[in-house]
Amino acid sequence: MHAITLGTAGGPVWWGHDEIDAGICTAVVVDGRVYLVDFGYGAGRQLRSAGYTFGSVEALFITHMHSDHTVDLSSLFLFARNEIGQRKVRIFGPGDRGKLPPLTPLAKEVPKPVNPESPVPGITETFDRLMRSYSTDINDRIFDYGAPSPATKFDVRDIRLPGAVPFDPNENVAPDMEPFVVFEDERVSVKAILVDHHPTAPAYAFRFDSKYGSVVISGDTGYCQNTINISRGCDILLHEAINLDVVAQQAITTYPNEQVRASVMSHHSRAHTTAKDAGRIAQKAGVGTLVLHHLVPANAPSESWQTAAEEFDGSLVIAEDLGVICVHAKAKNSVVE
Ligand SMILES: [Zn+2]
Ligand SMILES: [Zn+2]
């Protein structure tokens, strides 16, 4: 069992540097079969660079509906269908948010949302709509030479929360809870838990348990008790990290309006986790190896992420694209290749 950090950059940005080339996507590999988490920019290409095709992929888990985690879903159903063979790849992700997020106090009037009849769809509806938007291409192939519809290659499901969880997308995005099973096969059991990425909700962390050990992926979240709950005693925790100083510096040019900038920074400090706090979470949960990924911004100085070690006694890895972290390398032997 190992994790491959296929893409490590967080945020809706094209990087295009040699060392930062792909958006967020992580593979958990068990006995040669691949379980993906998130499908950011370049995910399909990165999977190939790691030596796999979709013929090896069993399931894809989407942590939340932000575009940096979902942007390559169209390429997935358009390009991967011939690799999948006579079976279906399972896709799990958040359901419909249920209502629009709270409106910023900076708004002078109530804006008109995009697609008002269904403004906050979950994974099933999004996947279906994406496929419909490509109907010219898809029907062309179906009618011209009998290609199978990509719809026959994927089994897409909204994750359903256990009934007792008092979740509300605006008021209570991550109530204290225990992880619950969303998928099981003969190799892995995959559990989910709500995390705090307000106002995006629902947002999930995932835990993969196999006979070899366990891997947890935090998804995007602020400091959150549920991340500790799902990470307890795991071998590898891949946690997101943000460098607020560098983001604040870069925001001066991106958001020249001071009020807007303050509001953006307040979002970032609430909805994401500093390296130090990720270290704190890993320490509290007693994890073996902490891997920082979904780095925001991806071009922050690499040594700045080392502050996690001030709070965490275990092995710390700063992820690079296509890095490999083995479950059995619990203490000192974890390497990023
Ligand atoms: Zn993200
Ligand atoms: Zn996000």
Side-chain angles (χ1 to χ4, degrees), residues 64 66 68-69 197 200 220 272 294:
H64 65 294
H66 270 161
D68 54 322
H69 299 249
H197 192 37
T200 303
D220 287 13
H272 295 286
H294 191 282

Side-chain angles (χ1 to χ4, degrees), residues 10-336:
V13 183
W14 281 310
W15 289 100
H17 303 302
D18 285 344
E19 69 279 20
I20 315 165
D21 197 26
I24 192 73
C25 181
T26 308
V28 177
V29 184
V30 185
D31 290 340
R33 304 302 294 172
V34 176
Y35 303 82
L36 294 173
V37 178
D38 289 326
F39 212 71
Y41 171 68
R45 185 198 61 215
Q46 294 296 96
L47 182 69
R48 286 198 163 249
S49 299
Y52 294 95
T53 70
F54 253 82
S56 306
V57 175
E58 292 292 331
L60 165 63
F61 301 84
I62 299 291
T63 57
H64 65 294
M65 295 307 295
H66 270 161
S67 56
D68 54 322
H69 299 249
T70 57
V71 72
D72 269 16
L73 283 174
S74 315
S75 68
L76 165 57
F77 64 75
L78 293 167
F79 296 0
R81 57 184 163 182
N82 293 331
E83 297 180 355
I84 291 170
Q86 301 303 313
R87 64 192 182 93
K88 289 190 178 192
V89 169
R90 266 102 17 128
I91 300 178
F92 300 87
D96 191 292
R97 191 182 193 282
K99 46 185 154 181
L100 283 163
L103 184 58
T104 169
L106 299 179
K108 296 193 173 58
E109 56 187 37
V110 179
K112 187 171 177 280
V114 171
N115 197 37
E117 63 278 9
S118 181
V120 284
I123 189 67
T124 308
E125 189 180 336
T126 298
F127 200 81
D128 180 58
R129 280 210 227 147
L130 284 170
M131 218 180 290
R132 279 193 274 157
S133 71
Y134 279 94
S135 52
T136 301
D137 172 280
I138 293 168
N139 287 329
D140 206 59
R141 298 171 201 281
I142 291 173
F143 281 76
D144 188 37
Y145 54 88
S149 164
T152 64
K153 301 290 181 184
F154 299 93
D155 177 357
V156 189
R157 299 198 190 169
D158 292 346
I159 294 170
R160 287 187 187 195
L161 281 168
V165 177
F167 165 78
D168 181 278
N170 289 348
E171 307 295 334
N172 200 7
V173 293
D176 193 18
M177 63 187 286
E178 287 304 312
F180 59 99
V181 174
V182 291
F183 171 82
E184 273 180 310
D185 66 11
E186 61 276 27
R187 286 170 290 269
V188 286
S189 164
V190 183
K191 296 190 188 76
I193 203 164
L194 286 165
V195 291
D196 187 353
H197 192 37
H198 179 81
T200 303
Y204 293 104
F206 294 111
R207 177 178 180 126
F208 295 75
D209 286 289
S210 78
K211 62 183 176 187
Y212 306 107
S214 46
V215 175
V216 174
I217 291 156
S218 72
D220 287 13
T221 179
Y223 185 96
C224 181
Q225 177 60 39
N226 280 349
T227 323
I228 300 170
N229 294 352
I230 199 170
S231 304
R232 278 208 181 87
C234 74
D235 295 296
I236 298 170
L237 165 63
L238 292 111
H239 203 292
E240 69 123 278
I242 191 166
N243 184 322
L244 291 169
D245 295 334
V246 179
V247 171
Q249 198 55 40
Q250 294 180 352
I252 294 171
T253 36
T254 323
Y255 304 101
N257 179 306
E258 219 166 291
Q259 265 189 317
V260 174
R261 190 160 73 243
S263 168
V264 168
M265 287 312 297
S266 141
H267 161 81
H268 282 314
S269 34
R270 221 178 36 232
H272 295 286
T273 306
T274 61
K276 210 167 172 172
D277 275 347
R280 213 167 272 152
I281 287 164
Q283 186 68 22
K284 284 192 177 173
V287 316
T289 298
L290 170 63
V291 181
L292 296 183
H293 74 160
H294 191 282
L295 303 171
V296 175
N299 60 349
S302 57
E303 62 277 8
S304 68
W305 307 113
Q306 295 292 339
T307 49
E310 293 168 18
E311 303 289 335
F312 177 56
D313 291 340
S315 169
L316 174 65
V317 174
I318 312 307
E320 293 173 9
D321 287 4
L322 298 173
V324 177
I325 306 103
C326 294
V327 160
H328 59 74
K330 192 164 179 172
K332 298 190 180 67
N333 303 324
S334 294
V335 288
V336 172

